[in-house]
Amino acid sequence: MGFEFYEERDFKDTELGPLPVDWKVVRLGEVCKEVIGGDWGEDVYKDSLIEVYVLRGTDFDNLRLGLINKIPRRFLSGKSLERRKLKNSDLLVEISGGGPKQPTGRILYITEGLLNKFDTYVSFSNFVKKIEVDCNMVNPEYFYRYWQLLYSMWRTLLYEKRTTGIRNFKLNDFLKNEFIPLPPLEEQKAIAEVLRSVQLAIEKTEEVIRATKELKKSMMKHLFTYGYVPVDEIDKVRLKETEIGLIPEHWNVVRLGDVVEIFDKKRVPLNEQQRKHRRGAYPYCGANGIIDYIDAYIFDGEYVLLAEDGGFYKRFESSAYIMRGRFWANNHVHILQAKQNSNNYFLLYYLIYEDISRYVAGTTRQKLTQENMKKIPIPLPPLEEQKAIAEVLRAIDEKLQKEEEYKKALQNLFKSLLHHLMSGKIRVRKTQNGQNLQSED
């Protein structure tokens, strides 16, 4: 069983714009059988308590990512439990909450795969409502995906109401006023399956990214403790105790200022207005990476850029990054270059690995002064070992970059498919042998 994609040629005008002639348009509320929420209600079986998970709107992302340990538990029983017990294909809507960069009204589609992550019943809080749809009219997963499209277009923001600083989503108004296109039911299922397959690929890629990041942390700890040796040979490495912890006996501990050249005097800050009139091809760098692109450069070569202020200095945080080639930098980032006895990438990875926050001063805006930066202790293996360690970690970073690029490509594909399939510009149907994207004459 596969899918055949084809372009629609016959459209009609609707409340949602041009749609295929065999599609219907109805209000969201017309395909909803019931909205369940409100108070918990009275319990009639008070003697038979069961411990259950209770989902809040803030747990929607955690649940999808499998981070179930952050979901609260509560004792419930009787009718309130049965009414709020989640099952496969249920739809949950966030009624209160949201975030500084996202509106309320997020939706979550419950699957057996999600429910199987739990060891007991799953329910939902007072700030979440469950929607039951008429499956004779709409496929629940298709309904969910179309709601996602509306949310990405910030349509739910139009139905927010603030009460004492808390943002609440007016669900009933949303259901009464927003429309949903309804292809034939079999096509709805096909659309949902196509989008699900891409979403699953995104989630699998996210899992690979998380695992690779954990591998990088593990390798950093190993390499900066035992050096460039296989894991099964660490018992052969003679270690010594130093101010930065255990390191191989043949390594030294030096100060960062002893092994780098500092080029801070060459930095030139440009404000947003100045950069606006100087758009170009050269990166303009700040504390945490590239901010903009302008028409000139100050530096040309390979440098380690270490945040002077506004950076992240804890262990495994991105306190530093590498720039290669031509670029400009402002005065919020130190510009360093390894001397002959050190390696830029080795220094980069150690600055990321180590917690250097104790060298940062300030309360409202933390700052790593040049004086304090020079004092940061750095392990110094022989140069060839530095290079070998850096190469291992660079290989992991290259893997991460490829996975991040693949994830971005999948996300772009998902957005494109979501728009085109929900508007009928591209249509889909199931086939027995599976076809690639094609056009009908």
Side-chain angles (χ1 to χ4, degrees), residues 18 91 97:
L91 296 157

Side-chain angles (χ1 to χ4, degrees), residues 1-3 193 430-434:
M1 182 70 70
F3 297 100
E193 287 186 36
K430 287 187 177 182
T431 64
Q432 293 299 320
N433 54 3

Side-chain angles (χ1 to χ4, degrees), residues 348-366:
L348 166 76
Y349 288 122
Y350 187 76
L351 290 169
I352 292 172
Y353 168 74
E354 188 54 89
D355 180 355
I356 60 174
S357 60
R358 61 184 180 276
Y359 296 93
V360 177
T363 52
T364 55
R365 186 173 178 84
Q366 293 186 320

Side-chain angles (χ1 to χ4, degrees), residues 267-314:
R267 303 173 302 180
V268 179
L270 298 174
N271 61 37
E272 187 175 356
Q273 193 63 28
Q274 289 172 315
R275 299 197 307 272
K276 183 178 179 181
H277 297 288
R278 299 189 56 177
R279 300 293 186 215
Y282 300 106
Y284 177 83
C285 301
N288 302 304
I290 297 172
I291 299 172
D292 212 336
Y293 288 86
I294 59 173
D295 59 356
Y297 63 92
I298 300 173
F299 302 97
D300 187 3
E302 181 180 278
Y303 296 84
V304 179
L305 277 63
L306 174 61
E308 178 173 335
D309 58 273
F312 307 97
Y313 304 101
K314 297 287 187 180

Side-chain angles (χ1 to χ4, degrees), residues 43-305:
D43 248 329
V44 295
Y45 303 111
K46 297 184 182 297
D47 295 331
S48 57
L49 294 175
I50 305 172
E51 189 178 31
V52 301
Y53 290 93
V54 181
L55 288 178
R56 302 165 298 182
T58 52
D59 295 315
F60 280 17
D61 289 335
N62 290 338
L63 181 68
R64 184 180 64 81
L65 295 174
L67 304 176
I68 60 176
N69 58 314
K70 293 185 178 180
I71 296 174
R73 292 189 176 194
R74 176 173 178 172
F75 285 98
L76 299 171
S77 64
K79 290 182 178 179
S80 61
L81 171 61
E82 288 303 315
R83 189 167 173 76
R84 288 176 179 259
K85 178 181 173 183
L86 295 179
K87 59 185 183 301
N88 189 38
S89 299
D90 275 346
L91 296 157
L92 295 180
V93 178
E94 172 193 48
I95 299 302
S96 179
K101 296 183 179 180
Q102 64 183 28
T104 53
R106 288 184 300 165
I107 191 168
L108 180 67
Y109 180 67
I110 301 298
T111 65
E112 286 291 346
L114 291 176
L115 295 177
N116 288 340
K117 297 177 184 291
F118 300 87
D119 56 5
T120 184
Y121 294 110
V122 184
S123 186
F124 56 96
S125 75
N126 286 340
F127 301 106
V128 173
K129 288 189 177 181
K130 182 171 75 170
I131 293 178
E132 292 186 358
V133 298
D134 185 346
C135 294
N136 293 317
M137 295 182 65
V138 64
N139 174 265
E141 190 173 359
Y142 172 86
F143 184 90
Y144 161 66
R145 295 300 181 189
Y146 188 74
W147 192 300
Q148 278 189 314
L149 178 62
L150 292 175
Y151 185 82
S152 70
M153 296 165 59
W154 293 73
R155 293 295 300 178
T156 62
L157 184 62
L158 302 176
Y159 300 87
E160 273 191 4
K161 180 181 180 182
R162 288 184 178 269
T163 307
T164 62
I166 300 174
R167 292 187 294 161
N168 296 302
F169 177 54
K170 297 183 288 185
L171 174 60
N172 289 334
D173 289 346
F174 184 73
L175 295 176
K176 289 177 183 177
N177 292 289
E178 293 295 326
F179 293 90
I180 181 172
L182 294 183
L185 200 53
E186 285 304 310
E187 187 173 357
Q188 292 181 37
K189 294 176 182 177
I191 290 172
E193 287 186 36
V194 169
L195 294 172
R196 186 197 318 143
S197 66
V198 180
Q199 183 63 49
L200 287 174
I202 293 172
E203 291 172 7
K204 287 179 180 178
T205 306
E206 289 173 339
E207 290 175 7
V208 172
I209 290 171
R210 286 194 295 273
T212 307
K213 286 181 177 179
E214 288 304 312
L215 171 63
K216 181 179 175 181
K217 289 180 182 180
S218 178
M219 287 303 300
M220 287 176 123
K221 184 176 181 180
H222 167 78
L223 292 167
F224 290 126
T225 303
Y226 299 101
Y228 185 68
V229 296
V231 175
D232 58 358
E233 294 184 14
I234 60 174
D235 57 330
K236 300 177 183 178
V237 180
R238 299 182 66 178
L239 302 177
K240 64 182 179 183
E241 187 65 57
T242 69
E243 62 181 295
I244 59 174
L246 291 172
I247 61 172
E249 199 172 61
H250 66 286
W251 289 17
N252 296 317
V253 176
V254 297
R255 303 295 159 185
L256 182 59
D258 296 330
V259 294
V260 297
E261 298 285 352
I262 302 172
F263 296 90
D264 288 0
K265 290 183 179 180
K266 292 181 67 176
R267 303 173 302 180
V268 179
L270 298 174
N271 61 37
E272 187 175 356
Q273 193 63 28
Q274 289 172 315
R275 299 197 307 272
K276 183 178 179 181
H277 297 288
R278 299 189 56 177
R279 300 293 186 215
Y282 300 106
Y284 177 83
C285 301
N288 302 304
I290 297 172
I291 299 172
D292 212 336
Y293 288 86
I294 59 173
D295 59 356
Y297 63 92
I298 300 173
F299 302 97
D300 187 3
E302 181 180 278
Y303 296 84
V304 179
L305 277 63

Side-chain angles (χ1 to χ4, degrees), residues 3 42 92 105 171 190 221 270 280 331 368 370 389 411 425 434:
F3 297 100
E42 295 184 5
L92 295 180
L171 174 60
K221 184 176 181 180
L270 298 174
N331 58 343
L368 176 63
Q370 188 178 119
I389 289 171
Q411 289 174 327
K425 292 179 180 177

